[in-house]
Amino acid sequence: MADSSFDIVSKVERQEVDNALNQAAKEISQRYDFKGTDASISWSGEKILMQANGEERVKAILDIFETKLIKRGISLKSLDAGEPQLSGKEYKISASIEEGISQENAKKVAKVIRDEGPKGVKAQVQGDELRVSSKSRDDLQAVQALLKGKDFDFAIQFVNYR
């Protein structure tokens, strides 16, 4: 019998991020506390740009956006938001969506699987994902349960389970 396997990835559905951004922009345009403040959130290339005329307001925009991401099932670990910076008369926050597991993070996950996972489970890095394989499907499910219990500083999903 061939080995069973699954991949560990860190991917974000771009359309869901776009939907969350549009919902946040709509809420900002309708909220009373943002009237006449030139507050906005929009795409700027691959980054998300939030701007307002006060530091507290731009942090509130970030909070609204994070709330919309959570409602859409996107982990906040994949959102990399900077600190508010003064640019002229406006405060701006630039944020990016991080995808893919870095080599360093993949090695951390592989080490956890080796040290704490069932024997006979192999983990190998393949580009920006990690392939986990074993003869036993029960062992693979144990690895998934183990990794869900760990708190990594990046989002992980399990795909291609076969």
Side-chain angles (χ1 to χ4, degrees):
M1 187 175 122
D3 283 1
S4 299
S5 68
F6 69 87
D7 295 334
I8 301 172
V9 297
S10 181
K11 289 194 172 29
V12 176
E13 187 86 27
R14 173 92 177 177
Q15 185 62 49
E16 291 296 331
V17 175
D18 200 38
N19 290 344
L21 186 128
N22 290 336
Q23 286 179 341
K26 185 174 182 181
E27 182 173 326
I28 290 164
S29 71
Q30 292 175 344
R31 274 188 32 179
Y32 181 76
D33 54 337
F34 287 114
K35 290 275 189 252
T37 62
D38 294 330
S40 67
I41 181 171
S42 62
W43 285 105
S44 174
E46 285 296 306
K47 295 207 175 277
I48 298 163
L49 187 66
M50 295 162 259
Q51 54 192 27
N53 64 358
E55 187 175 355
E56 296 306 314
R57 284 202 174 102
V58 80
K59 285 182 178 176
I61 293 171
L62 177 62
D63 187 50
I64 292 168
F65 183 55
E66 288 175 344
T67 304
K68 300 299 180 189
L69 286 175
I70 291 170
K71 284 184 180 175
R72 296 214 150 268
I74 297 171
S75 172
L76 292 183
K77 291 177 182 177
S78 58
L79 179 70
D80 182 26
E83 290 297 311
Q85 295 179 338
L86 186 60
S87 171
K89 292 182 178 179
E90 292 192 327
Y91 281 88
K92 295 182 177 185
I93 294 179
S94 181
S96 61
I97 303 295
E98 297 193 1
E99 289 191 299
I101 300 177
S102 69
Q103 292 287 330
E104 178 183 313
N105 289 337
K107 287 178 183 172
K108 283 183 196 172
V109 175
K111 183 172 178 3
V112 167
I113 293 170
R114 257 196 326 276
D115 294 348
E116 302 176 32
K119 299 293 178 225
V121 176
K122 296 186 289 290
Q124 60 197 59
V125 179
Q126 294 180 336
D128 62 351
E129 55 186 44
L130 189 70
R131 165 83 34 99
V132 179
S133 57
S134 171
K135 293 203 180 304
S136 165
R137 286 181 171 235
D138 292 340
D139 287 350
L140 291 180
Q141 288 174 339
V143 167
Q144 284 183 352
L146 169 73
L147 294 177
K148 283 178 184 172
K150 294 289 179 191
D151 186 30
F152 295 108
D153 55 350
F154 53 95
I156 60 172
Q157 293 90 27
F158 306 112
V159 296
N160 293 339
Y161 188 77
R162 48 177 172 262

PDB file of all heavy atoms in Angstrom, residues 53-82:
ATOM      1  N   ASN A  53      -7.209  61.173   9.461  1.00  0.00           N
ATOM      2  CA  ASN A  53      -6.560  62.387   9.953  1.00  0.00           C
ATOM      3  C   ASN A  53      -6.132  62.307  11.414  1.00  0.00           C
ATOM      4  O   ASN A  53      -5.707  63.297  11.979  1.00  0.00           O
ATOM      5  CB  ASN A  53      -7.459  63.605   9.714  1.00  0.00           C
ATOM      6  CG  ASN A  53      -8.749  63.527  10.494  1.00  0.00           C
ATOM      7  OD1 ASN A  53      -9.005  62.556  11.198  1.00  0.00           O
ATOM      8  ND2 ASN A  53      -9.582  64.546  10.349  1.00  0.00           N
ATOM      9  N   GLY A  54      -6.233  61.140  12.031  1.00  0.00           N
ATOM     10  CA  GLY A  54      -5.797  60.984  13.421  1.00  0.00           C
ATOM     11  C   GLY A  54      -5.296  59.570  13.659  1.00  0.00           C
ATOM     12  O   GLY A  54      -5.736  58.624  13.019  1.00  0.00           O
ATOM     13  N   GLU A  55      -4.367  59.440  14.602  1.00  0.00           N
ATOM     14  CA  GLU A  55      -3.786  58.129  14.882  1.00  0.00           C
ATOM     15  C   GLU A  55      -4.842  57.152  15.398  1.00  0.00           C
ATOM     16  O   GLU A  55      -4.869  55.983  15.004  1.00  0.00           O
ATOM     17  CB  GLU A  55      -2.651  58.269  15.894  1.00  0.00           C
ATOM     18  CG  GLU A  55      -1.887  56.989  16.122  1.00  0.00           C
ATOM     19  CD  GLU A  55      -0.680  57.160  17.034  1.00  0.00           C
ATOM     20  OE1 GLU A  55      -0.374  58.295  17.431  1.00  0.00           O
ATOM     21  OE2 GLU A  55      -0.062  56.138  17.355  1.00  0.00           O
ATOM     22  N   GLU A  56      -5.724  57.634  16.284  1.00  0.00           N
ATOM     23  CA  GLU A  56      -6.770  56.759  16.824  1.00  0.00           C
ATOM     24  C   GLU A  56      -7.733  56.305  15.728  1.00  0.00           C
ATOM     25  O   GLU A  56      -8.192  55.167  15.727  1.00  0.00           O
ATOM     26  CB  GLU A  56      -7.538  57.465  17.946  1.00  0.00           C
ATOM     27  CG  GLU A  56      -6.687  57.796  19.162  1.00  0.00           C
ATOM     28  CD  GLU A  56      -5.956  56.577  19.721  1.00  0.00           C
ATOM     29  OE1 GLU A  56      -6.586  55.519  19.862  1.00  0.00           O
ATOM     30  OE2 GLU A  56      -4.757  56.691  20.015  1.00  0.00           O
ATOM     31  N   ARG A  57      -8.047  57.195  14.807  1.00  0.00           N
ATOM     32  CA  ARG A  57      -8.976  56.846  13.723  1.00  0.00           C
ATOM     33  C   ARG A  57      -8.376  55.804  12.785  1.00  0.00           C
ATOM     34  O   ARG A  57      -9.058  54.896  12.338  1.00  0.00           O
ATOM     35  CB  ARG A  57      -9.377  58.097  12.945  1.00  0.00           C
ATOM     36  CG  ARG A  57     -10.373  58.934  13.704  1.00  0.00           C
ATOM     37  CD  ARG A  57     -11.160  59.822  12.768  1.00  0.00           C
ATOM     38  NE  ARG A  57     -12.202  60.520  13.497  1.00  0.00           N
ATOM     39  CZ  ARG A  57     -12.111  61.789  13.880  1.00  0.00           C
ATOM     40  NH1 ARG A  57     -11.048  62.495  13.602  1.00  0.00           N
ATOM     41  NH2 ARG A  57     -13.111  62.342  14.533  1.00  0.00           N
ATOM     42  N   VAL A  58      -7.088  55.938  12.464  1.00  0.00           N
ATOM     43  CA  VAL A  58      -6.475  54.970  11.564  1.00  0.00           C
ATOM     44  C   VAL A  58      -6.364  53.601  12.255  1.00  0.00           C
ATOM     45  O   VAL A  58      -6.525  52.557  11.624  1.00  0.00           O
ATOM     46  CB  VAL A  58      -5.114  55.485  11.006  1.00  0.00           C
ATOM     47  CG1 VAL A  58      -3.986  55.302  11.989  1.00  0.00           C
ATOM     48  CG2 VAL A  58      -4.773  54.815   9.693  1.00  0.00           C
ATOM     49  N   LYS A  59      -6.164  53.604  13.573  1.00  0.00           N
ATOM     50  CA  LYS A  59      -6.172  52.332  14.318  1.00  0.00           C
ATOM     51  C   LYS A  59      -7.576  51.727  14.322  1.00  0.00           C
ATOM     52  O   LYS A  59      -7.733  50.509  14.281  1.00  0.00           O
ATOM     53  CB  LYS A  59      -5.679  52.545  15.746  1.00  0.00           C
ATOM     54  CG  LYS A  59      -4.174  52.740  15.844  1.00  0.00           C
ATOM     55  CD  LYS A  59      -3.748  52.901  17.286  1.00  0.00           C
ATOM     56  CE  LYS A  59      -2.241  53.055  17.397  1.00  0.00           C
ATOM     57  NZ  LYS A  59      -1.815  53.304  18.780  1.00  0.00           N
ATOM     58  N   ALA A  60      -8.597  52.575  14.373  1.00  0.00           N
ATOM     59  CA  ALA A  60      -9.988  52.093  14.323  1.00  0.00           C
ATOM     60  C   ALA A  60     -10.278  51.459  12.966  1.00  0.00           C
ATOM     61  O   ALA A  60     -10.988  50.457  12.884  1.00  0.00           O
ATOM     62  CB  ALA A  60     -10.954  53.230  14.604  1.00  0.00           C
ATOM     63  N   ILE A  61      -9.728  52.043  11.890  1.00  0.00           N
ATOM     64  CA  ILE A  61      -9.907  51.460  10.551  1.00  0.00           C
ATOM     65  C   ILE A  61      -9.275  50.071  10.509  1.00  0.00           C
ATOM     66  O   ILE A  61      -9.878  49.122   9.998  1.00  0.00           O
ATOM     67  CB  ILE A  61      -9.284  52.377   9.467  1.00  0.00           C
ATOM     68  CG1 ILE A  61     -10.070  53.683   9.368  1.00  0.00           C
ATOM     69  CG2 ILE A  61      -9.261  51.669   8.120  1.00  0.00           C
ATOM     70  CD1 ILE A  61      -9.413  54.722   8.486  1.00  0.00           C
ATOM     71  N   LEU A  62      -8.069  49.940  11.070  1.00  0.00           N
ATOM     72  CA  LEU A  62      -7.403  48.634  11.124  1.00  0.00           C
ATOM     73  C   LEU A  62      -8.252  47.633  11.905  1.00  0.00           C
ATOM     74  O   LEU A  62      -8.416  46.485  11.492  1.00  0.00           O
ATOM     75  CB  LEU A  62      -6.014  48.766  11.752  1.00  0.00           C
ATOM     76  CG  LEU A  62      -5.222  47.468  11.930  1.00  0.00           C
ATOM     77  CD1 LEU A  62      -4.947  46.803  10.592  1.00  0.00           C
ATOM     78  CD2 LEU A  62      -3.922  47.730  12.667  1.00  0.00           C
ATOM     79  N   ASP A  63      -8.835  48.074  13.015  1.00  0.00           N
ATOM     80  CA  ASP A  63      -9.682  47.208  13.834  1.00  0.00           C
ATOM     81  C   ASP A  63     -10.914  46.740  13.054  1.00  0.00           C
ATOM     82  O   ASP A  63     -11.286  45.566  13.096  1.00  0.00           O
ATOM     83  CB  ASP A  63     -10.095  47.939  15.112  1.00  0.00           C
ATOM     84  CG  ASP A  63     -10.838  47.039  16.069  1.00  0.00           C
ATOM     85  OD1 ASP A  63     -10.328  45.933  16.341  1.00  0.00           O
ATOM     86  OD2 ASP A  63     -11.925  47.430  16.528  1.00  0.00           O
ATOM     87  N   ILE A  64     -11.535  47.648  12.309  1.00  0.00           N
ATOM     88  CA  ILE A  64     -12.700  47.296  11.484  1.00  0.00           C
ATOM     89  C   ILE A  64     -12.296  46.254  10.449  1.00  0.00           C
ATOM     90  O   ILE A  64     -12.984  45.244  10.245  1.00  0.00           O
ATOM     91  CB  ILE A  64     -13.288  48.550  10.788  1.00  0.00           C
ATOM     92  CG1 ILE A  64     -13.916  49.482  11.820  1.00  0.00           C
ATOM     93  CG2 ILE A  64     -14.303  48.165   9.715  1.00  0.00           C
ATOM     94  CD1 ILE A  64     -14.252  50.859  11.272  1.00  0.00           C
ATOM     95  N   PHE A  65     -11.148  46.481   9.782  1.00  0.00           N
ATOM     96  CA  PHE A  65     -10.678  45.556   8.752  1.00  0.00           C
ATOM     97  C   PHE A  65     -10.388  44.174   9.341  1.00  0.00           C
ATOM     98  O   PHE A  65     -10.767  43.149   8.767  1.00  0.00           O
ATOM     99  CB  PHE A  65      -9.438  46.138   8.058  1.00  0.00           C
ATOM    100  CG  PHE A  65      -8.916  45.295   6.935  1.00  0.00           C
ATOM    101  CD1 PHE A  65      -9.743  44.922   5.878  1.00  0.00           C
ATOM    102  CD2 PHE A  65      -7.601  44.878   6.912  1.00  0.00           C
ATOM    103  CE1 PHE A  65      -9.269  44.140   4.844  1.00  0.00           C
ATOM    104  CE2 PHE A  65      -7.114  44.098   5.875  1.00  0.00           C
ATOM    105  CZ  PHE A  65      -7.952  43.730   4.844  1.00  0.00           C
ATOM    106  N   GLU A  66      -9.739  44.144  10.513  1.00  0.00           N
ATOM    107  CA  GLU A  66      -9.449  42.861  11.173  1.00  0.00           C
ATOM    108  C   GLU A  66     -10.743  42.118  11.510  1.00  0.00           C
ATOM    109  O   GLU A  66     -10.826  40.902  11.353  1.00  0.00           O
ATOM    110  CB  GLU A  66      -8.608  43.085  12.434  1.00  0.00           C
ATOM    111  CG  GLU A  66      -7.183  43.474  12.150  1.00  0.00           C
ATOM    112  CD  GLU A  66      -6.389  43.805  13.396  1.00  0.00           C
ATOM    113  OE1 GLU A  66      -6.993  44.035  14.474  1.00  0.00           O
ATOM    114  OE2 GLU A  66      -5.154  43.837  13.302  1.00  0.00           O
ATOM    115  N   THR A  67     -11.755  42.847  11.977  1.00  0.00           N
ATOM    116  CA  THR A  67     -13.047  42.237  12.300  1.00  0.00           C
ATOM    117  C   THR A  67     -13.662  41.601  11.057  1.00  0.00           C
ATOM    118  O   THR A  67     -14.179  40.480  11.106  1.00  0.00           O
ATOM    119  CB  THR A  67     -14.007  43.290  12.883  1.00  0.00           C
ATOM    120  OG1 THR A  67     -13.385  43.900  14.014  1.00  0.00           O
ATOM    121  CG2 THR A  67     -15.317  42.666  13.301  1.00  0.00           C
ATOM    122  N   LYS A  68     -13.586  42.300   9.924  1.00  0.00           N
ATOM    123  CA  LYS A  68     -14.151  41.782   8.673  1.00  0.00           C
ATOM    124  C   LYS A  68     -13.378  40.539   8.208  1.00  0.00           C
ATOM    125  O   LYS A  68     -13.980  39.592   7.686  1.00  0.00           O
ATOM    126  CB  LYS A  68     -14.126  42.851   7.570  1.00  0.00           C
ATOM    127  CG  LYS A  68     -14.915  44.101   7.894  1.00  0.00           C
ATOM    128  CD  LYS A  68     -16.382  43.822   8.121  1.00  0.00           C
ATOM    129  CE  LYS A  68     -17.137  45.098   8.441  1.00  0.00           C
ATOM    130  NZ  LYS A  68     -18.497  44.864   8.864  1.00  0.00           N
ATOM    131  N   LEU A  69     -12.049  40.536   8.395  1.00  0.00           N
ATOM    132  CA  LEU A  69     -11.249  39.363   8.017  1.00  0.00           C
ATOM    133  C   LEU A  69     -11.654  38.145   8.851  1.00  0.00           C
ATOM    134  O   LEU A  69     -11.799  37.043   8.318  1.00  0.00           O
ATOM    135  CB  LEU A  69      -9.754  39.646   8.204  1.00  0.00           C
ATOM    136  CG  LEU A  69      -9.086  40.561   7.193  1.00  0.00           C
ATOM    137  CD1 LEU A  69      -7.644  40.837   7.602  1.00  0.00           C
ATOM    138  CD2 LEU A  69      -9.125  39.975   5.800  1.00  0.00           C
ATOM    139  N   ILE A  70     -11.839  38.356  10.152  1.00  0.00           N
ATOM    140  CA  ILE A  70     -12.219  37.249  11.041  1.00  0.00           C
ATOM    141  C   ILE A  70     -13.577  36.682  10.618  1.00  0.00           C
ATOM    142  O   ILE A  70     -13.757  35.472  10.550  1.00  0.00           O
ATOM    143  CB  ILE A  70     -12.251  37.712  12.514  1.00  0.00           C
ATOM    144  CG1 ILE A  70     -10.836  37.998  12.993  1.00  0.00           C
ATOM    145  CG2 ILE A  70     -12.919  36.668  13.400  1.00  0.00           C
ATOM    146  CD1 ILE A  70     -10.763  38.690  14.335  1.00  0.00           C
ATOM    147  N   LYS A  71     -14.534  37.570  10.311  1.00  0.00           N
ATOM    148  CA  LYS A  71     -15.857  37.105   9.892  1.00  0.00           C
ATOM    149  C   LYS A  71     -15.791  36.292   8.605  1.00  0.00           C
ATOM    150  O   LYS A  71     -16.632  35.437   8.373  1.00  0.00           O
ATOM    151  CB  LYS A  71     -16.804  38.293   9.698  1.00  0.00           C
ATOM    152  CG  LYS A  71     -17.305  38.864  11.001  1.00  0.00           C
ATOM    153  CD  LYS A  71     -18.315  39.958  10.766  1.00  0.00           C
ATOM    154  CE  LYS A  71     -18.809  40.527  12.082  1.00  0.00           C
ATOM    155  NZ  LYS A  71     -19.699  41.674  11.892  1.00  0.00           N
ATOM    156  N   ARG A  72     -14.786  36.553   7.761  1.00  0.00           N
ATOM    157  CA  ARG A  72     -14.631  35.836   6.504  1.00  0.00           C
ATOM    158  C   ARG A  72     -13.742  34.610   6.641  1.00  0.00           C
ATOM    159  O   ARG A  72     -13.396  33.967   5.652  1.00  0.00           O
ATOM    160  CB  ARG A  72     -14.081  36.769   5.435  1.00  0.00           C
ATOM    161  CG  ARG A  72     -15.050  37.884   5.116  1.00  0.00           C
ATOM    162  CD  ARG A  72     -14.961  38.246   3.669  1.00  0.00           C
ATOM    163  NE  ARG A  72     -16.219  38.730   3.151  1.00  0.00           N
ATOM    164  CZ  ARG A  72     -17.140  37.994   2.578  1.00  0.00           C
ATOM    165  NH1 ARG A  72     -17.005  36.700   2.456  1.00  0.00           N
ATOM    166  NH2 ARG A  72     -18.232  38.525   2.096  1.00  0.00           N
ATOM    167  N   GLY A  73     -13.331  34.299   7.875  1.00  0.00           N
ATOM    168  CA  GLY A  73     -12.563  33.074   8.116  1.00  0.00           C
ATOM    169  C   GLY A  73     -11.081  33.181   7.764  1.00  0.00           C
ATOM    170  O   GLY A  73     -10.441  32.173   7.490  1.00  0.00           O
ATOM    171  N   ILE A  74     -10.531  34.383   7.751  1.00  0.00           N
ATOM    172  CA  ILE A  74      -9.115  34.571   7.438  1.00  0.00           C
ATOM    173  C   ILE A  74      -8.365  34.837   8.747  1.00  0.00           C
ATOM    174  O   ILE A  74      -8.747  35.702   9.520  1.00  0.00           O
ATOM    175  CB  ILE A  74      -8.924  35.742   6.458  1.00  0.00           C
ATOM    176  CG1 ILE A  74      -9.617  35.407   5.138  1.00  0.00           C
ATOM    177  CG2 ILE A  74      -7.445  36.028   6.231  1.00  0.00           C
ATOM    178  CD1 ILE A  74      -9.680  36.553   4.173  1.00  0.00           C
ATOM    179  N   SER A  75      -7.298  34.089   8.963  1.00  0.00           N
ATOM    180  CA  SER A  75      -6.514  34.236  10.185  1.00  0.00           C
ATOM    181  C   SER A  75      -5.773  35.570  10.193  1.00  0.00           C
ATOM    182  O   SER A  75      -5.197  35.975   9.188  1.00  0.00           O
ATOM    183  CB  SER A  75      -5.503  33.100  10.285  1.00  0.00           C
ATOM    184  OG  SER A  75      -4.630  33.328  11.367  1.00  0.00           O
ATOM    185  N   LEU A  76      -5.777  36.239  11.342  1.00  0.00           N
ATOM    186  CA  LEU A  76      -5.067  37.516  11.463  1.00  0.00           C
ATOM    187  C   LEU A  76      -3.550  37.313  11.454  1.00  0.00           C
ATOM    188  O   LEU A  76      -2.802  38.272  11.309  1.00  0.00           O
ATOM    189  CB  LEU A  76      -5.484  38.248  12.737  1.00  0.00           C
ATOM    190  CG  LEU A  76      -6.920  38.765  12.762  1.00  0.00           C
ATOM    191  CD1 LEU A  76      -7.189  39.536  14.040  1.00  0.00           C
ATOM    192  CD2 LEU A  76      -7.213  39.628  11.551  1.00  0.00           C
ATOM    193  N   LYS A  77      -3.101  36.059  11.585  1.00  0.00           N
ATOM    194  CA  LYS A  77      -1.671  35.785  11.534  1.00  0.00           C
ATOM    195  C   LYS A  77      -1.119  36.045  10.133  1.00  0.00           C
ATOM    196  O   LYS A  77       0.079  36.249   9.976  1.00  0.00           O
ATOM    197  CB  LYS A  77      -1.384  34.338  11.942  1.00  0.00           C
ATOM    198  CG  LYS A  77      -1.657  34.084  13.399  1.00  0.00           C
ATOM    199  CD  LYS A  77      -1.422  32.639  13.738  1.00  0.00           C
ATOM    200  CE  LYS A  77      -1.754  32.364  15.194  1.00  0.00           C
ATOM    201  NZ  LYS A  77      -1.598  30.955  15.532  1.00  0.00           N
ATOM    202  N   SER A  78      -1.980  36.026   9.120  1.00  0.00           N
ATOM    203  CA  SER A  78      -1.511  36.282   7.758  1.00  0.00           C
ATOM    204  C   SER A  78      -1.536  37.771   7.418  1.00  0.00           C
ATOM    205  O   SER A  78      -1.095  38.170   6.352  1.00  0.00           O
ATOM    206  CB  SER A  78      -2.353  35.493   6.750  1.00  0.00           C
ATOM    207  OG  SER A  78      -3.706  35.846   6.863  1.00  0.00           O
ATOM    208  N   LEU A  79      -2.044  38.606   8.327  1.00  0.00           N
ATOM    209  CA  LEU A  79      -2.059  40.064   8.114  1.00  0.00           C
ATOM    210  C   LEU A  79      -0.845  40.676   8.818  1.00  0.00           C
ATOM    211  O   LEU A  79      -0.680  40.511  10.013  1.00  0.00           O
ATOM    212  CB  LEU A  79      -3.346  40.680   8.666  1.00  0.00           C
ATOM    213  CG  LEU A  79      -3.473  42.199   8.520  1.00  0.00           C
ATOM    214  CD1 LEU A  79      -3.664  42.574   7.054  1.00  0.00           C
ATOM    215  CD2 LEU A  79      -4.625  42.723   9.347  1.00  0.00           C
ATOM    216  N   ASP A  80      -0.015  41.368   8.050  1.00  0.00           N
ATOM    217  CA  ASP A  80       1.167  42.027   8.604  1.00  0.00           C
ATOM    218  C   ASP A  80       0.965  43.527   8.499  1.00  0.00           C
ATOM    219  O   ASP A  80       1.203  44.109   7.442  1.00  0.00           O
ATOM    220  CB  ASP A  80       2.421  41.578   7.841  1.00  0.00           C
ATOM    221  CG  ASP A  80       3.682  42.194   8.406  1.00  0.00           C
ATOM    222  OD1 ASP A  80       3.682  42.543   9.602  1.00  0.00           O
ATOM    223  OD2 ASP A  80       4.664  42.337   7.650  1.00  0.00           O
ATOM    224  N   ALA A  81       0.486  44.135   9.582  1.00  0.00           N
ATOM    225  CA  ALA A  81       0.194  45.577   9.583  1.00  0.00           C
ATOM    226  C   ALA A  81       1.297  46.325  10.316  1.00  0.00           C
ATOM    227  O   ALA A  81       1.757  45.898  11.374  1.00  0.00           O
ATOM    228  CB  ALA A  81      -1.143  45.843  10.257  1.00  0.00           C
ATOM    229  N   GLY A  82       1.716  47.449   9.727  1.00  0.00           N
ATOM    230  CA  GLY A  82       2.751  48.266  10.345  1.00  0.00           C
ATOM    231  C   GLY A  82       2.165  49.200  11.393  1.00  0.00           C
ATOM    232  O   GLY A  82       0.975  49.154  11.704  1.00  0.00           O
TER     233      GLY A  82
END
